[in-house]
Amino acid sequence: RILVDGEPVTLLRSEAGLQAVRRLKQTPDGYLWLATRGGLVRFDEVRFSTFNASSEQGLESSTMQDMVIDGDGSMWVASLGGGIAHYKAGKFTSYTSRDGLPSNDIGSLYQDSRGTLWVGTRGGSIARRMNGRFETLPLGIPRSPISAFLEGRRPIAVDRNVRKRGV
């Protein structure tokens, strides 16, 4: 039994079928979501449910990279090869390069304080979702995978070599 600050902690193990967990998030309805290499996994404190491209309409890939919980309780999920999936009211909707993303290999997501969704690709491109549409931003510098975003006076994207890119 593991305790943190006197409270029991649930230990999630690979025996549960989890493969390379990339991100953990909890939605307002209490579910714990895990972005894994084998799909998106939902944990309800009793059982795991796996959502992947072969079982869910609206998921284009099963290799999940990142997640953002939107202010409305919905969830944005980044994937390799499948663009972004939006999970709302029990349904997935996919967004790919056909919808304005610069690539379908998405490595990172971030939602800023104004509600803008920022997208970082493994190819070093950055896009944002504004007014219901994705737009790619010109950077004019060498490209490498975007691994994180930081909000300040202006957003900053960080590539794996930890170079700052003002966007």
Side-chain angles (χ1 to χ4, degrees), residues 75-133:
M75 181 172 50
W76 296 92
V77 184
S79 71
L80 295 183
I84 297 173
H86 187 215
Y87 184 75
K88 186 172 187 172
K91 180 179 145 189
F92 290 98
T93 303
S94 69
Y95 297 90
T96 65
S97 56
R98 295 183 306 269
D99 302 296
L101 290 174
S103 166
N104 290 330
D105 289 328
I106 310 300
S108 59
L109 296 174
Y110 177 74
Q111 190 170 46
D112 69 21
S113 60
R114 293 180 298 244
T116 301
L117 181 68
W118 294 86
V119 179
T121 72
R122 297 211 3 156
S125 295
I126 294 175
R128 65 182 171 191
R129 182 173 169 84
M130 293 185 67
N131 303 317
R133 301 182 65 107

Side-chain angles (χ1 to χ4, degrees), residues 5-161:
D5 294 332
E7 296 292 324
V9 174
T10 301
L11 183 59
L12 306 177
R13 297 182 181 263
S14 60
E15 293 86 40
L18 302 177
Q19 300 177 30
V21 175
R22 304 288 296 162
R23 205 66 80 226
L24 292 162
K25 297 284 182 175
Q26 188 169 23
T27 49
D29 56 11
Y31 288 116
L32 181 65
W33 292 86
L34 299 87
T36 77
R37 297 282 180 171
L40 189 62
V41 178
R42 184 176 68 192
F43 182 61
D44 64 5
E45 296 190 26
V46 176
R47 69 184 137 304
F48 294 94
S49 301
T50 301
F51 302 83
N52 58 43
S54 65
S55 66
E56 294 297 321
Q57 186 173 355
L59 285 179
E60 301 287 325
S61 170
S62 296
T63 307
M64 307 307 178
Q65 289 293 105
D66 202 359
M67 298 179 289
V68 164
I69 307 302
D70 204 321
D72 65 6
S74 66
M75 181 172 50
W76 296 92
V77 184
S79 71
L80 295 183
I84 297 173
H86 187 215
Y87 184 75
K88 186 172 187 172
K91 180 179 145 189
F92 290 98
T93 303
S94 69
Y95 297 90
T96 65
S97 56
R98 295 183 306 269
D99 302 296
L101 290 174
S103 166
N104 290 330
D105 289 328
I106 310 300
S108 59
L109 296 174
Y110 177 74
Q111 190 170 46
D112 69 21
S113 60
R114 293 180 298 244
T116 301
L117 181 68
W118 294 86
V119 179
T121 72
R122 297 211 3 156
S125 295
I126 294 175
R128 65 182 171 191
R129 182 173 169 84
M130 293 185 67
N131 303 317
R133 301 182 65 107
F134 288 99
E135 64 177 351
T136 301
L137 303 176
L139 297 178
I141 57 176
R143 294 181 177 208
S144 62
I146 304 298
S147 61
F149 290 91
L150 173 69
E151 185 171 2
R153 285 186 307 217
R154 64 181 185 164
I156 295 175
V158 180
D159 66 22
R160 70 176 176 195
N161 297 316

